[in-house]
DNA sequence: GTGAAAGCGCTAACAT
DNA sequence: ATGTTAGCGCTTTCAC
């Protein structure tokens, strides 16, 4: 027992050729006599042979693996991203090593070092914070990488993100078109540039419409707290006619809080969420939401990365994908549109 | 540019020692003079050195990576499982390579071969089907593996799953205790042993209570169809007083269907879902659900696998974890309990 | 078109 | 306790 897996040498012997030829056949590297090639393939099949990727990578210097580092594997947005990347990568013959930074810069640095020790062809990273602790270490490792979703400041790397400002503006215009002058923005944390961009988009849009900017409530990442904080805020400040929740946890927290306060959606308060999930369709009322183009973000990230892996030298690209506003039952008109003519209510 | 990463030799030279000593220091392998050890660690830090895992693994024959293969990365149950495994594995110094079989046996076989080509220390697998296409290929690769969630027939491998029969029985007892004699069971597919076990648990419990067995509706994996099929069934068969949905997609589909039919939950129909997600708490009504112990499944899978990696030779273990019934608002009493005294309504 | 031989970066025997 | 050496399985010159 504990029989070792067959090596290329085993295949070579069985096929009556040299290891080099086996390598050439299996790696489609050099033209090989069809007869020999067939013998090789047959021998490989017989022995159930699979190239040892560690050895292959060590010798060739080329790795067919990329690392993917996200802040959390509990968040469906990140796992959806991983799903997309896995698919795209797999189609190009790459495997993915997945790691979570658990929203911690320290862990992020450690996990990144671990990923780099595989000498991967590239890395896809959703930073834990705007500071992106790993920038330096990865920088001088010479491994190409793409920063996704939480893009801030200027990275040397390619970036892929949603157009957060426009997305938020779209949500804001939708509310304004329904006559909402008083909105509450519920954010996870303002430490993240993408969340700040969403706030900015909303505030700008309200200002441009000549309406007072909405207040922004920062409630942290944990679902439990959200409800309480929102309840307290409303107790202190009076109720808004509408709420924009900037993340999925915020959305759920707001729903819970409004229910506890006995505020009906959309009759008393209109609600827009960020991130679109299936449950928002079956919820009653169904939830109007800004759908992030997760799938496109994944493919964009992969295509940027594969270009770099292929040796592309062009300056870093910054992809900003548009999003879509899914209008459902949680938003309701309470008066005439507050939008001027030339600002459309919604753009897809 | 494209400077190569430092090697152990570079570190050795800088620290003025031999590569072997560097290896011993960094790998905590053999006792080394503290002074030299410090010099080595310093040099490694200076150069930003990280051992090359491919080379290390090639030489030592020990890999610090495990493959994880799931049917889908879109399903939150599987991604939660991955989150748990990533955490446990990471704590033991292992990385995970993640792959999806996209619910296809053919893809499963291919992805498994790819995973095995890393010569991983082990594999965690949630099979695409009960047939588990990869059983043979992995079997003679000698790599230890654990089968999780979709456990069927007798595998030679360790298995970890929820006690599906008992879980379903618990849900059934809850309904019976509320006086429901007519239940509809909505299953994704009866091709999966774990789904069949859930059906069995429900039917047995009803039979034991002297109540007619509920009918089982099989609706496939896609969310879209679920609603229609359920609507049609109810149109044809009349409405049940209660529904048990055996997967999360089934749950959402049922909610949508009942709403379209104008059947109020829980006033007209009571509903129990399988898998517990946050949205079920904020949904109105909140959804009574069987919570799977995903986290424990992940840790159980990891501990079984690490034992095998460590060389454990004992016969395969079959772990069956208990689940919990989260009673919320979607289930309501419509009459006296149909349960006999000695059958408790719910067990945690 | 094919094979022989070297060597990727590391670790395990062995020698000191 | 440290260094020397060999070789893991593969790919890549470089001969032929």
């Amino acid at each position: 027992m504990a029989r070792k897996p067959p090596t290329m040498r085993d295949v070579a012997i069985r096929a009556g050729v040299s290891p080099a030829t086996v390598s050439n056949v299996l790696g489609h590297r050099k033209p090989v006599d069809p007869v020999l090639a067939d013998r090789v393939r047959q021998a490989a099949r017989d022995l159930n042979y699979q190239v040892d990727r560690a050895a292959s990578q060590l010798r060739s210097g080329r790795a067919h693996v990329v690392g993917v580092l996200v802040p959390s594997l509990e968040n469906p947005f990140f796992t959806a991203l991983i799903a997309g990347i896995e698919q795209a990568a797999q189609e190009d013959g790459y495997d993915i090593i997945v790691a979570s930074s658990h929203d911690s810069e320290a862990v992020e640095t450690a996990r990144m070092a671990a990923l780099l020790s595989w000498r991967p062809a590239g890395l896809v990273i959703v930073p834990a914070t705007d500071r992106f602790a790993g920038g330096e270490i990865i920088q001088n490792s010479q491994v190409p990488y793409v920063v996704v979703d939480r893009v801030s400041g200027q990275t040397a790397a390619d970036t892929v993100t949603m157009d957060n400002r426009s997305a938020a503006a779209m949500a804001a215009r939708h509310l304004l078109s329904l006559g909402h002058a008083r909105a509450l923005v519920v954010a996870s944390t303002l430490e993240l540039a993408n969340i700040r961009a969403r706030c900015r988009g909303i505030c700008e849009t309200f200002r441009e419409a000549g309406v007072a900017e909405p207040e922004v409530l920062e409630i942290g990442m944990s679902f439990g707290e959200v409800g309480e904080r929102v309840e307290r805020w409303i107790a202190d400040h009076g109720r808004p006619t509408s709420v924009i929740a900037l993340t999925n946890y915020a959305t759920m927290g707001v729903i819970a809080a409004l229910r506890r306060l006995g505020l009906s959606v959309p009759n008393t308060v209109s609600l827009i969420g960020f991130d679109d999930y299936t449950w928002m369709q079956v919820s009653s009322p169904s939830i109007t939401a800004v759908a992030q183009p997760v799938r496109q973000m994944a493919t964009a990230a992969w295509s940027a990365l594969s270009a770099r892996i292929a040796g592309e030298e062009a300056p870093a690209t910054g992809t900003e994908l548009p999003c879509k506003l899914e209008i459902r039952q949680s938003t309701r008109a309470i008066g005439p549109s507050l939008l001027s003519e030339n600002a459309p209510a919604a753009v897809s």
Side-chain angles (χ1 to χ4, degrees), chain A:
Chain A
M1 47 192 60
R3 185 177 13 145
K4 294 185 118 188
T7 72
M8 191 170 266
R9 230 180 73 89
D10 298 328
V11 177
I13 293 171
R14 188 168 228 272
V17 297
S18 76
T21 301
V22 176
S23 178
N24 284 330
V25 173
L26 266 34
H28 310 290
R29 235 172 300 277
K30 281 188 193 174
V32 172
D33 183 300
V35 180
L36 286 192
D38 269 346
R39 281 223 311 267
V40 167
R41 274 187 287 267
Q42 185 57 51
R45 230 174 299 123
D46 292 347
L47 298 175
N48 231 297
Y49 173 75
Q50 285 280 132
V51 204
D52 181 320
R53 303 186 79 142
S56 164
Q57 151 169 354
L58 176 59
R59 173 64 237 236
S60 72
R62 263 161 292 132
H64 273 151
V65 62
V66 300
V68 180
L69 182 54
V70 296
S72 163
L73 289 168
E74 322 268 359
N75 188 320
F77 175 76
F78 299 134
T79 57
L81 201 63
I82 290 175
I85 290 169
E86 191 269 349
Q87 172 143 21
Q90 180 269 335
E91 281 165 10
D92 287 357
Y94 284 76
D95 285 323
I96 63 172
I97 298 183
V98 171
S100 164
S101 62
H102 294 267
D103 283 307
S104 145
E105 287 188 42
V107 177
E108 180 171 71
T109 310
R111 300 303 278 137
M112 192 140 76
L115 289 181
L116 286 174
S117 74
W118 287 103
R119 309 282 184 266
L123 249 45
V124 177
I125 298 172
V126 180
T129 70
D130 280 0
R131 284 176 292 291
F132 183 29
E136 207 170 315
I137 166 170
I138 195 181
Q139 205 65 279
N140 63 31
S141 79
Q142 299 292 112
V143 173
Y145 68 106
V146 186
V147 174
V148 182
D149 185 41
R150 295 182 179 176
V151 172
S152 67
Q154 64 284 34
T155 329
D158 296 315
T159 61
V160 175
T161 181
M162 179 181 71
D163 184 346
N164 286 287
R165 224 202 90 281
S166 304
M170 190 184 307
R173 274 197 302 275
H174 176 55
L175 288 181
L176 288 168
S177 77
L178 297 175
H180 290 272
R182 178 128 195 265
L184 168 62
V185 174
V186 178
S188 50
T189 169
L190 296 174
E191 304 233 306
L192 259 22
N194 57 351
I195 300 295
R196 286 198 303 275
R198 292 175 191 181
C199 291
R200 213 180 314 126
I202 295 167
C203 291
E204 282 173 8
T205 306
F206 270 66
R207 203 182 324 123
E208 283 164 16
V211 177
E213 292 186 7
E215 288 199 56
V216 175
L217 178 57
E218 193 179 358
I219 42 75
M221 306 295 245
S222 96
F223 169 68
E225 283 177 85
V226 180
E228 288 175 37
R229 306 270 276 108
V230 172
E231 276 186 74
R232 192 150 7 109
W233 189 92
I234 292 182
D236 293 352
H237 299 71
R239 64 175 176 72
T241 68
S242 59
V243 177
I244 304 183
L246 298 190
T247 68
N248 45 340
Y249 286 107
T251 307
M252 293 192 284
V254 169
I255 293 176
L258 293 177
R259 170 141 342 109
R260 271 197 301 271
L261 290 169
L263 300 176
S264 148
V265 175
N267 294 328
T268 314
V269 178
S270 284
L271 171 64
I272 298 186
F274 259 75
D275 287 1
D276 186 40
Y277 299 104
T278 309
W279 68 265
M280 292 181 175
Q281 297 172 40
V282 306
S283 167
S284 80
S286 56
I287 309 294
T288 296
V290 176
Q292 297 207 56
V294 204
R295 215 67 199 193
Q296 284 104 294
M297 289 174 72
T299 44
W302 180 252
S303 69
L305 191 57
S306 14
R308 295 292 168 190
I309 292 173
E312 173 72 57
E313 293 280 7
T317 61
T319 309
E320 283 215 324
L321 268 9
C323 63
K324 216 172 147 243
L325 181 65
E326 298 287 353
I327 299 179
R328 301 206 181 88
Q329 302 165 342
S330 67
T331 43
R332 175 176 155 270
I334 61 167
S337 172
L338 301 172
L339 247 26
S340 57
E341 290 297 300
N342 38 17
V347 185
S348 91

